[in-house]
């Protein structure tokens, strides 16, 4: 995953939920937590490897990243938003696959 992908994902998440206020004691905005939850779901693997990867490669994008166990507790509290965006990603992916198949089919007919 690249910085451009993570930035694009964040902007897609931040648009609908960016207005949700951050708790006064929180270090991350809800859109940050949902973006990180989506990255975890898309990347796959375990919690520790994800946390190491995120800290090692993308700490600059999330400078207020909490420690690993706190981050995964935040994922649980923002689970519903993350699931909604995963569903949206699935729908967009299926639409893209459908368009590709239609284009391939029309080329076969031509």
């Amino acid at each position: 995953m690249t910085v451009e992908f993570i930035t694009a994902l964040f902007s897609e998440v931040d648009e609908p939920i960016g207005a949700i206020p951050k708790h006064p004691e929180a270090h991350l905005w809800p859109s940050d937590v949902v973006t990180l939850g989506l990255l975890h779901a898309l990347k796959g693997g375990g919690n520790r490897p994800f946390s190491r990867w995120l800290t090692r490669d993308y700490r600059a994008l999330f400078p207020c990243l909490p420690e690993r166990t706190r981050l995964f507790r935040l994922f649980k509290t923002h689970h519903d938003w993350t699931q909604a965006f995963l569903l949206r990603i699935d729908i967009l992916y299926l639409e893209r696959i459908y368009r590709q198949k239609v284009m391939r089919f029309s080329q076969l007919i031509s």
Side-chain angles (χ1 to χ4, degrees):
M1 293 187 200
T2 64
V3 173
E4 293 82 21
F5 174 78
I6 294 172
T7 305
L9 183 64
F10 174 77
S11 63
E12 287 294 319
V13 170
D14 192 51
E15 186 176 321
I17 68 171
I20 295 176
K22 179 176 86 162
H23 188 276
E25 295 178 10
H27 295 287
L28 295 174
W29 287 84
S31 54
D32 292 333
V33 176
V34 172
T35 301
L36 291 171
L38 289 170
L39 286 174
H40 184 260
L42 294 172
K43 183 159 176 42
N47 294 349
R48 283 179 191 255
F50 174 77
S51 179
R52 283 193 303 262
W53 168 79
L54 185 64
T55 304
R56 181 187 66 233
D57 297 345
Y58 298 104
R59 181 70 176 202
L61 293 177
F62 304 98
C64 296
L65 195 64
E67 55 93 18
R68 179 179 50 86
T69 56
R70 177 68 185 134
L71 179 64
F72 287 100
R73 282 195 304 269
L74 287 171
F75 287 171
K76 283 186 178 185
T77 61
H78 293 77
H79 183 264
D80 292 338
W81 276 105
T82 305
Q83 289 293 0
F85 279 98
L86 278 174
L87 179 62
R88 184 175 173 194
I89 289 170
D90 286 344
I91 290 170
L92 292 173
Y93 176 74
L94 291 174
E95 287 175 352
R96 191 179 90 204
I97 295 293
Y98 176 75
R99 282 194 303 268
Q100 289 174 349
K101 286 186 177 190
V102 167
M103 288 175 59
R104 227 179 287 145
F105 183 71
S106 63
Q107 288 173 351
L108 288 174
I109 293 175
S110 302

